Amino acid sequence: MVRLGWHDSGTYDRNIKDWPERGGANGSLRFDVELKHGANAGLVNALKLVQPIKDKYPSITYADLFQLASATAIEEAGGPKLPMKYGRVDVTGPEQCPPEGKLPDAGPKAPADHLRAVFYRMGLDDKEIVALSGAHTLGRSRPERSGWGKPETKYTKNGPGAPGGQSWTAEWLKFDNSYFKEIKEKRDQDLLVLPTDAALFEDPTFKDYAEKYAADQEAFFEDYAEAHAKLSSLGAKFDPAEGFSLDD
């Protein structure tokens, strides 16, 4: 669910003003043409899980549903409550999907430069890059989908859910700051460290934030909540224009 919301919004290009050409959180990921982008391998399974909710409550847009599912997953896994707003408008057809290649690559030649190129295009800064990377405390990488990770480890061989893949953390359904601790220590060969993960402790500016989050979970939660909420609204068109909160 977290990946579904992030990949729908993460196509945003702040240099393009028109909607929906600018990409972002607009529900376009429901269409096969975008689901088949290499970076979205496996997300059809997430779409299948949320589709019954859409069928039951047809007035909610896909764009809102994807971001609601993402925020709810973070909170249910023990993470912070996110200051979300809703009212996103959906694109209407597959011809409005963004081109492939908007999302980060896990193994670029210059990982820190690549992360900045992608996230700066979305209008996000270094602190937000590091904070959002902390969402890797959840989930697994599957080599048959991404080309990264082991087929299974001692942490994933029995699930829960479909077994297999390689997680970044031992408790990969718990949202905490263990991702930063594990990346810093690199002691457990059963835990995944991608080039873009390692860059967080290799790049001097990224490292300042990564060290802070490894030492202070509360600081991580505070910065993550703000960054996630910002990410969830990138490129979106809202109706009403100011959006609305479920807490109102």
Side-chain angles (χ1 to χ4, degrees):
M1 297 300 107
V2 176
R3 185 167 163 243
L4 181 70
W6 147 231
H7 282 214
D8 194 49
S9 61
T11 60
Y12 174 61
D13 188 336
R14 66 174 179 166
N15 300 307
I16 301 173
K17 300 304 180 186
D18 292 338
W19 184 94
E21 289 82 0
R22 65 194 182 209
N26 57 30
S28 62
L29 190 48
R30 73 189 189 272
F31 293 111
D32 283 347
V33 63
E34 189 171 345
L35 274 174
K36 290 178 179 177
H37 289 177
N40 294 328
L43 282 179
V44 64
N45 297 314
L47 185 62
K48 288 177 180 177
L49 286 172
V50 298
Q51 187 59 50
I53 301 172
K54 173 65 174 171
D55 294 342
K56 186 175 182 179
Y57 302 100
S59 62
I60 188 173
T61 63
Y62 279 99
D64 268 355
L65 180 58
F66 292 167
Q67 301 306 326
L68 174 61
S70 180
T72 302
I74 294 293
E75 294 178 28
E76 287 295 310
K81 182 173 176 57
L82 309 177
M84 300 287 289
K85 69 174 183 176
Y86 297 95
R88 295 167 189 77
V89 176
D90 278 343
V91 297
T92 56
E95 71 282 356
Q96 295 175 311
C97 289
E100 189 164 6
K102 295 282 191 176
L103 297 168
D105 182 354
K109 291 182 179 179
D113 291 344
H114 175 70
L115 286 173
R116 287 192 171 97
V118 172
F119 282 86
Y120 285 9
R121 186 205 72 221
M122 292 187 273
L124 299 170
D125 61 22
D126 286 356
K127 181 175 77 170
E128 290 162 333
I129 290 172
V130 181
L132 289 170
S133 295
H136 277 157
T137 197
L138 297 178
R140 302 164 284 175
S141 178
R142 295 183 178 274
E144 70 273 17
R145 296 179 187 171
S146 68
W148 294 92
K150 298 178 179 179
E152 69 172 32
T153 70
K154 62 181 179 244
Y155 302 116
T156 66
K157 64 181 181 180
N158 296 318
Q166 187 175 15
S167 58
W168 288 262
T169 63
E171 295 184 86
W172 47 271
L173 289 179
K174 180 181 179 182
F175 193 91
D176 56 20
N177 67 335
S178 60
Y179 165 80
F180 296 102
K181 294 178 180 179
E182 297 293 355
I183 298 301
K184 181 179 179 179
E185 299 297 334
K186 294 184 183 179
R187 290 180 297 191
D188 192 332
Q189 295 302 306
D190 263 352
L191 297 179
L192 183 61
V193 181
L194 298 171
T196 45
D197 300 318
L200 302 184
F201 282 96
E202 294 167 353
D203 178 88
T205 305
F206 287 165
K207 184 178 180 180
D208 286 344
Y209 295 113
E211 292 276 9
K212 176 183 177 182
Y213 298 152
D216 188 342
Q217 180 169 284
E218 186 174 335
F220 167 52
F221 275 23
E222 181 178 343
D223 289 351
Y224 180 85
E226 292 182 7
H228 182 125
K230 181 176 177 179
L231 175 72
S232 77
S233 294
L234 293 179
K237 180 168 71 173
F238 285 88
D239 182 19
E242 68 277 12
F244 61 88
S245 169
L246 298 182
D247 297 323
D248 290 346

PDB file of all heavy atoms in Angstrom, residues 164-178:
ATOM      1  N   GLY A 164       9.080 -15.156   1.018  1.00  0.00           N
ATOM      2  CA  GLY A 164      10.171 -14.802   0.116  1.00  0.00           C
ATOM      3  C   GLY A 164      10.493 -13.329   0.049  1.00  0.00           C
ATOM      4  O   GLY A 164       9.863 -12.495   0.694  1.00  0.00           O
ATOM      5  N   GLY A 165      11.518 -13.043  -0.755  1.00  0.00           N
ATOM      6  CA  GLY A 165      12.023 -11.691  -0.879  1.00  0.00           C
ATOM      7  C   GLY A 165      13.039 -11.380   0.209  1.00  0.00           C
ATOM      8  O   GLY A 165      13.319 -12.209   1.079  1.00  0.00           O
ATOM      9  N   GLN A 166      13.609 -10.192   0.140  1.00  0.00           N
ATOM     10  CA  GLN A 166      14.582  -9.750   1.139  1.00  0.00           C
ATOM     11  C   GLN A 166      14.145  -8.415   1.707  1.00  0.00           C
ATOM     12  O   GLN A 166      13.870  -7.467   0.966  1.00  0.00           O
ATOM     13  CB  GLN A 166      15.986  -9.637   0.540  1.00  0.00           C
ATOM     14  CG  GLN A 166      17.062  -9.335   1.579  1.00  0.00           C
ATOM     15  CD  GLN A 166      18.465  -9.351   0.997  1.00  0.00           C
ATOM     16  OE1 GLN A 166      18.656  -9.322  -0.218  1.00  0.00           O
ATOM     17  NE2 GLN A 166      19.470  -9.403   1.866  1.00  0.00           N
ATOM     18  N   SER A 167      14.083  -8.328   3.016  1.00  0.00           N
ATOM     19  CA  SER A 167      13.649  -7.104   3.694  1.00  0.00           C
ATOM     20  C   SER A 167      14.849  -6.261   4.103  1.00  0.00           C
ATOM     21  O   SER A 167      15.974  -6.744   4.189  1.00  0.00           O
ATOM     22  CB  SER A 167      12.818  -7.464   4.933  1.00  0.00           C
ATOM     23  OG  SER A 167      13.580  -8.276   5.821  1.00  0.00           O
ATOM     24  N   TRP A 168      14.586  -5.002   4.351  1.00  0.00           N
ATOM     25  CA  TRP A 168      15.613  -4.080   4.839  1.00  0.00           C
ATOM     26  C   TRP A 168      15.781  -4.211   6.347  1.00  0.00           C
ATOM     27  O   TRP A 168      16.819  -3.844   6.892  1.00  0.00           O
ATOM     28  CB  TRP A 168      15.241  -2.649   4.497  1.00  0.00           C
ATOM     29  CG  TRP A 168      15.365  -2.275   3.060  1.00  0.00           C
ATOM     30  CD1 TRP A 168      16.422  -1.612   2.472  1.00  0.00           C
ATOM     31  CD2 TRP A 168      14.416  -2.495   2.004  1.00  0.00           C
ATOM     32  NE1 TRP A 168      16.191  -1.424   1.130  1.00  0.00           N
ATOM     33  CE2 TRP A 168      14.965  -1.953   0.810  1.00  0.00           C
ATOM     34  CE3 TRP A 168      13.166  -3.105   1.936  1.00  0.00           C
ATOM     35  CZ2 TRP A 168      14.303  -1.989  -0.419  1.00  0.00           C
ATOM     36  CZ3 TRP A 168      12.504  -3.150   0.712  1.00  0.00           C
ATOM     37  CH2 TRP A 168      13.064  -2.606  -0.435  1.00  0.00           C
ATOM     38  N   THR A 169      14.731  -4.682   7.018  1.00  0.00           N
ATOM     39  CA  THR A 169      14.735  -4.794   8.481  1.00  0.00           C
ATOM     40  C   THR A 169      14.216  -6.155   8.903  1.00  0.00           C
ATOM     41  O   THR A 169      13.528  -6.841   8.141  1.00  0.00           O
ATOM     42  CB  THR A 169      13.857  -3.703   9.113  1.00  0.00           C
ATOM     43  OG1 THR A 169      12.489  -3.892   8.704  1.00  0.00           O
ATOM     44  CG2 THR A 169      14.316  -2.309   8.705  1.00  0.00           C
ATOM     45  N   ALA A 170      14.535  -6.531  10.135  1.00  0.00           N
ATOM     46  CA  ALA A 170      14.106  -7.841  10.648  1.00  0.00           C
ATOM     47  C   ALA A 170      12.591  -7.882  10.857  1.00  0.00           C
ATOM     48  O   ALA A 170      11.930  -8.860  10.511  1.00  0.00           O
ATOM     49  CB  ALA A 170      14.838  -8.149  11.953  1.00  0.00           C
ATOM     50  N   GLU A 171      12.043  -6.816  11.417  1.00  0.00           N
ATOM     51  CA  GLU A 171      10.580  -6.731  11.629  1.00  0.00           C
ATOM     52  C   GLU A 171      10.004  -5.842  10.528  1.00  0.00           C
ATOM     53  O   GLU A 171       9.724  -4.672  10.736  1.00  0.00           O
ATOM     54  CB  GLU A 171      10.279  -6.168  13.018  1.00  0.00           C
ATOM     55  CG  GLU A 171      10.718  -7.052  14.158  1.00  0.00           C
ATOM     56  CD  GLU A 171      10.311  -6.487  15.507  1.00  0.00           C
ATOM     57  OE1 GLU A 171       9.175  -6.752  15.938  1.00  0.00           O
ATOM     58  OE2 GLU A 171      11.129  -5.767  16.114  1.00  0.00           O
ATOM     59  N   TRP A 172       9.792  -6.451   9.362  1.00  0.00           N
ATOM     60  CA  TRP A 172       9.484  -5.658   8.169  1.00  0.00           C
ATOM     61  C   TRP A 172       8.008  -5.288   8.023  1.00  0.00           C
ATOM     62  O   TRP A 172       7.622  -4.705   7.007  1.00  0.00           O
ATOM     63  CB  TRP A 172       9.985  -6.372   6.920  1.00  0.00           C
ATOM     64  CG  TRP A 172       9.657  -7.828   6.815  1.00  0.00           C
ATOM     65  CD1 TRP A 172      10.401  -8.885   7.282  1.00  0.00           C
ATOM     66  CD2 TRP A 172       8.510  -8.402   6.202  1.00  0.00           C
ATOM     67  NE1 TRP A 172       9.792 -10.070   6.997  1.00  0.00           N
ATOM     68  CE2 TRP A 172       8.626  -9.811   6.323  1.00  0.00           C
ATOM     69  CE3 TRP A 172       7.397  -7.878   5.554  1.00  0.00           C
ATOM     70  CZ2 TRP A 172       7.653 -10.687   5.827  1.00  0.00           C
ATOM     71  CZ3 TRP A 172       6.433  -8.739   5.063  1.00  0.00           C
ATOM     72  CH2 TRP A 172       6.576 -10.126   5.202  1.00  0.00           C
ATOM     73  N   LEU A 173       7.204  -5.573   9.039  1.00  0.00           N
ATOM     74  CA  LEU A 173       5.833  -5.044   9.072  1.00  0.00           C
ATOM     75  C   LEU A 173       5.663  -4.045  10.218  1.00  0.00           C
ATOM     76  O   LEU A 173       4.536  -3.694  10.567  1.00  0.00           O
ATOM     77  CB  LEU A 173       4.822  -6.187   9.213  1.00  0.00           C
ATOM     78  CG  LEU A 173       4.655  -7.073   7.976  1.00  0.00           C
ATOM     79  CD1 LEU A 173       3.642  -8.181   8.243  1.00  0.00           C
ATOM     80  CD2 LEU A 173       4.225  -6.256   6.767  1.00  0.00           C
ATOM     81  N   LYS A 174       6.783  -3.600  10.793  1.00  0.00           N
ATOM     82  CA  LYS A 174       6.768  -2.622  11.880  1.00  0.00           C
ATOM     83  C   LYS A 174       7.436  -1.341  11.404  1.00  0.00           C
ATOM     84  O   LYS A 174       8.572  -1.364  10.932  1.00  0.00           O
ATOM     85  CB  LYS A 174       7.506  -3.175  13.099  1.00  0.00           C
ATOM     86  CG  LYS A 174       7.555  -2.225  14.291  1.00  0.00           C
ATOM     87  CD  LYS A 174       8.329  -2.851  15.446  1.00  0.00           C
ATOM     88  CE  LYS A 174       8.402  -1.903  16.634  1.00  0.00           C
ATOM     89  NZ  LYS A 174       9.195  -2.511  17.743  1.00  0.00           N
ATOM     90  N   PHE A 175       6.731  -0.228  11.530  1.00  0.00           N
ATOM     91  CA  PHE A 175       7.291   1.059  11.116  1.00  0.00           C
ATOM     92  C   PHE A 175       8.014   1.695  12.297  1.00  0.00           C
ATOM     93  O   PHE A 175       7.391   2.072  13.293  1.00  0.00           O
ATOM     94  CB  PHE A 175       6.195   1.995  10.603  1.00  0.00           C
ATOM     95  CG  PHE A 175       6.739   3.203   9.880  1.00  0.00           C
ATOM     96  CD1 PHE A 175       6.939   3.180   8.513  1.00  0.00           C
ATOM     97  CD2 PHE A 175       7.069   4.362  10.580  1.00  0.00           C
ATOM     98  CE1 PHE A 175       7.459   4.282   7.840  1.00  0.00           C
ATOM     99  CE2 PHE A 175       7.581   5.464   9.921  1.00  0.00           C
ATOM    100  CZ  PHE A 175       7.781   5.423   8.552  1.00  0.00           C
ATOM    101  N   ASP A 176       9.327   1.791  12.188  1.00  0.00           N
ATOM    102  CA  ASP A 176      10.160   2.425  13.200  1.00  0.00           C
ATOM    103  C   ASP A 176      11.422   2.953  12.517  1.00  0.00           C
ATOM    104  O   ASP A 176      11.452   3.077  11.292  1.00  0.00           O
ATOM    105  CB  ASP A 176      10.480   1.452  14.338  1.00  0.00           C
ATOM    106  CG  ASP A 176      11.154   0.167  13.857  1.00  0.00           C
ATOM    107  OD1 ASP A 176      11.718   0.163  12.735  1.00  0.00           O
ATOM    108  OD2 ASP A 176      11.138  -0.841  14.599  1.00  0.00           O
ATOM    109  N   ASN A 177      12.457   3.241  13.286  1.00  0.00           N
ATOM    110  CA  ASN A 177      13.682   3.787  12.682  1.00  0.00           C
ATOM    111  C   ASN A 177      14.759   2.724  12.491  1.00  0.00           C
ATOM    112  O   ASN A 177      15.933   3.058  12.301  1.00  0.00           O
ATOM    113  CB  ASN A 177      14.227   4.939  13.527  1.00  0.00           C
ATOM    114  CG  ASN A 177      14.743   4.490  14.883  1.00  0.00           C
ATOM    115  OD1 ASN A 177      14.302   3.461  15.402  1.00  0.00           O
ATOM    116  ND2 ASN A 177      15.666   5.257  15.470  1.00  0.00           N
ATOM    117  N   SER A 178      14.377   1.446  12.525  1.00  0.00           N
ATOM    118  CA  SER A 178      15.377   0.386  12.422  1.00  0.00           C
ATOM    119  C   SER A 178      16.064   0.364  11.056  1.00  0.00           C
ATOM    120  O   SER A 178      17.201  -0.105  10.948  1.00  0.00           O
ATOM    121  CB  SER A 178      14.758  -0.984  12.724  1.00  0.00           C
ATOM    122  OG  SER A 178      13.723  -1.290  11.830  1.00  0.00           O
TER     123      SER A 178
END
